[in-house]
Amino acid sequence: MQNDTQPLNDMLISKSLSAADYVPTLDAMLSRTLERIDLKKQQGLRTPDELWIVDHNDVYTLGQAGKEEHILQRTDTPIIKTDRGGQVTWHGHGQLVLYWLFDLNSLGWSVRHLVSHAEQAIEDVVNDCLRHSPSASSEHISAHARRDAPGVYLYAESPVTNMADDADGMPASSDSLDDKIMLGKIASLGFKIKHGFSYHGIAINLDCDLSAFNAINPCGYAGMQMLRLSDFVAMQTDSEQKESETQTTQQISDTLNYKIVTQKLIDNIAKRHAGLIELRAIAPK
């Protein structure tokens, strides 16, 4: 497990973990959170928040109130009970996991603020990728959070909406999900709050093997269709990404890959942490 730490702003650092087993990562995350809580309580110290970017080895995790009945099939992949919110999910290679080790009280964030910032950061980045992709499969597709089911989902414009034109002859659009068709879920989230400090976080399917979700009811929803970004936008494979690293920035500027999407999300979260991106109105029910 490799560990790379970088400053993002004065009070936020990032830590990257590759090929990370779940239990040691969880233990380290909890240990660091307890250490920060103690430093604040005993010495009044505000320590920098941390954003952990993790590439997990394959694992199923079952949330604090998780029900075993949502595990449909036992496989060779380990099943770990953990202390986050939510039901069962899968983590593995090709999925981007970010753990938010944030001091919510110092940020002035409620738990609702944390969840909304997480969902809206995902919306921003996924929608940016969809808009700038040359792939026809991303046309009329957009990412949205839901009030009734945490996470981020992809929606398609309904045929009626696509045919409707506004007064300028441009396709009509709506922020309401009522006139959109839900395709499935692209990102999940589950946090744990301890004495005003958050840990755990979000998981976004970029170019992972979605078949791992067939053994579970993802996040406790039977029949929930899980999606990945690479099915809607053109993304480089690992080998193509390594080859492109020898090309100029201009040659690869229009090509998405795991690393580029990760950096887009890190940048968005860092701006939110610094107060440079404000919350939008919360998602409709």
Side-chain angles (χ1 to χ4, degrees), residues 6 37 72 129 219 236:
Q6 300 289 336
I37 291 170
L72 307 178
C129 293
C219 303
Q236 290 177 318

Side-chain angles (χ1 to χ4, degrees), residues 139-142 154-158 162 179-183:
E139 191 176 10
H140 304 301
I141 306 294
S142 53
L154 293 189
Y155 286 80
E157 298 290 343
S158 71
N162 285 339
D179 54 7
K180 293 179 172 63
I181 302 168
M182 194 186 81
L183 304 178

Side-chain angles (χ1 to χ4, degrees), residues 15 27-48 50 52 101 194-195 197:
K15 178 184 290 188
D27 288 347
M29 186 164 50
L30 176 58
S31 176
R32 179 55 184 154
T33 299
L34 293 174
E35 180 183 19
R36 297 182 67 206
I37 291 170
D38 187 63
L39 285 169
K40 188 172 185 180
K41 283 187 173 182
Q42 302 300 326
Q43 302 180 39
L45 293 179
R46 181 185 176 187
T47 51
E50 301 181 14
W52 290 19
L101 282 68
K194 191 179 288 290
H195 298 285
F197 286 76

Side-chain angles (χ1 to χ4, degrees), residues 36-258:
R36 297 182 67 206
I37 291 170
D38 187 63
L39 285 169
K40 188 172 185 180
K41 283 187 173 182
Q42 302 300 326
Q43 302 180 39
L45 293 179
R46 181 185 176 187
T47 51
D49 289 333
E50 301 181 14
L51 186 67
W52 290 19
I53 301 98
V54 184
D55 166 41
H56 269 304
N57 293 324
D58 283 14
V59 65
Y60 292 109
T61 67
L62 194 62
Q64 206 163 28
K67 299 177 180 178
E68 296 274 350
E69 65 199 55
H70 292 304
I71 301 169
L72 307 178
Q73 178 184 350
R74 301 283 172 164
T75 69
D76 293 336
T77 302
I79 301 169
I80 307 296
K81 290 187 177 181
T82 188
D83 61 348
R84 62 161 171 78
Q87 291 286 331
V88 65
T89 194
W90 169 86
H91 297 314
H93 304 301
Q95 182 189 70
L96 173 59
V97 173
L98 292 100
Y99 293 136
W100 301 45
L101 282 68
F102 285 10
D103 177 350
L104 300 184
N105 293 335
S106 292
L107 286 173
W109 288 10
S110 66
V111 177
R112 181 68 250 179
H113 290 151
L114 172 68
V115 171
S116 293
H117 272 301
E119 291 177 332
Q120 291 181 18
I122 298 166
E123 288 176 338
D124 287 350
V125 171
V126 172
N127 283 326
D128 179 69
C129 293
L130 291 168
R131 282 194 301 268
H132 292 90
S133 169
S135 172
S137 62
S138 65
E139 191 176 10
H140 304 301
I141 306 294
S142 53
H144 302 273
R146 299 164 52 116
R147 287 297 307 282
D148 59 343
V152 176
Y153 304 77
L154 293 189
Y155 286 80
E157 298 290 343
S158 71
V160 173
T161 305
N162 285 339
M163 289 187 292
D165 289 344
D166 63 19
D168 298 321
M170 297 297 289
S173 62
S174 171
D175 291 331
S176 171
L177 300 183
D178 293 339
D179 54 7
K180 293 179 172 63
I181 302 168
M182 194 186 81
L183 304 178
K185 188 173 190 176
I186 196 168
S188 304
L189 65 152
F191 290 98
K192 174 71 175 179
I193 313 297
K194 191 179 288 290
H195 298 285
F197 286 76
S198 67
Y199 57 108
H200 291 285
I202 62 179
I204 310 169
N205 302 324
L206 298 186
D207 56 3
C208 52
D209 182 357
L210 294 176
S211 65
F213 289 104
N214 294 338
I216 61 174
N217 288 329
C219 303
Y221 291 94
M224 174 61 71
Q225 179 65 50
M226 299 300 289
L227 306 175
R228 59 183 182 178
L229 187 62
S230 60
D231 285 332
F232 297 88
V233 303
M235 290 186 66
Q236 290 177 318
T237 63
D238 287 343
S239 58
E240 289 171 339
Q241 183 176 340
K242 290 175 182 176
E243 291 176 8
S244 71
E245 288 174 354
T246 63
Q247 301 174 9
T248 65
T249 302
Q250 181 63 38
Q251 286 175 300
I252 64 173
S253 60
D254 295 329
T255 306
L256 288 173
N257 57 41
Y258 188 99

